[in-house]
Amino acid sequence: MPTFRELGCTERADVDLLKRFYDDCLVPGFPDPDERDSFEAISGYLEGKRAGRYQKNNYHVVALLDHDRPIGGTISDYLVEPNAGVIEYLVVRPECRGTGLGGELLKYTESLLHSDAGA
């Protein structure tokens, strides 16, 4: 059964998993570099979250794992002022599509954003 893991930037394991998610899921899902943030940018956003730069706003990177293998994930933001969640990326590896995993990722990500809103 696949599991969800929200990634940070403080643990080496999270940084390594973020790199694997980026290389194995995000790059193949968004092959045009102009369509996706760079690995360095995503890492920087997570560092900004850790440092408290976003105040009440939030930034989420969620990896969907089959054991320790990334098979999908989402990147999303919660913005306090408009009280809005934005899903920037939702991706599932091609061989795992059509199994309902995208819908599960969407539900999980929506629950994080609802929690940010205090809903």
Side-chain angles (χ1 to χ4, degrees):
M1 172 117 208
T3 58
F4 301 99
R5 178 153 166 208
E6 185 163 6
L7 303 179
C9 66
T10 56
E11 295 180 26
R12 185 73 212 166
D14 277 3
V15 174
D16 292 343
L17 183 53
L18 174 63
K19 182 65 173 146
R20 288 187 298 137
F21 164 67
Y22 188 86
D23 291 342
D24 296 349
C25 298
L26 206 58
V27 170
F30 298 90
D32 184 339
D34 293 332
E35 294 178 349
R36 67 176 186 276
D37 288 334
S38 68
F39 175 78
E40 293 76 20
I42 295 167
S43 297
Y45 299 143
L46 286 172
E47 177 58 34
K49 176 180 176 174
R50 186 200 61 75
R53 283 184 235 150
Y54 303 136
Q55 299 170 359
K56 293 182 181 178
N57 297 316
N58 210 343
Y59 181 74
H60 299 281
V61 178
V62 174
L64 178 62
L65 304 173
D66 182 13
H67 301 285
D68 67 342
R69 179 177 160 246
I71 57 172
T74 60
I75 297 177
S76 60
D77 303 282
Y78 173 72
L79 308 171
V80 170
E81 189 59 37
N83 189 27
V86 177
I87 298 174
E88 296 182 40
Y89 304 98
L90 188 153
V91 64
V92 175
R93 291 176 61 100
E95 68 272 17
C96 300
R97 293 180 187 157
T99 62
L101 291 174
E104 292 300 314
L105 267 169
L106 179 61
K107 281 190 232 177
Y108 187 86
T109 301
E110 288 175 333
S111 73
L112 288 174
L113 297 170
H114 281 288
S115 179
D116 288 338

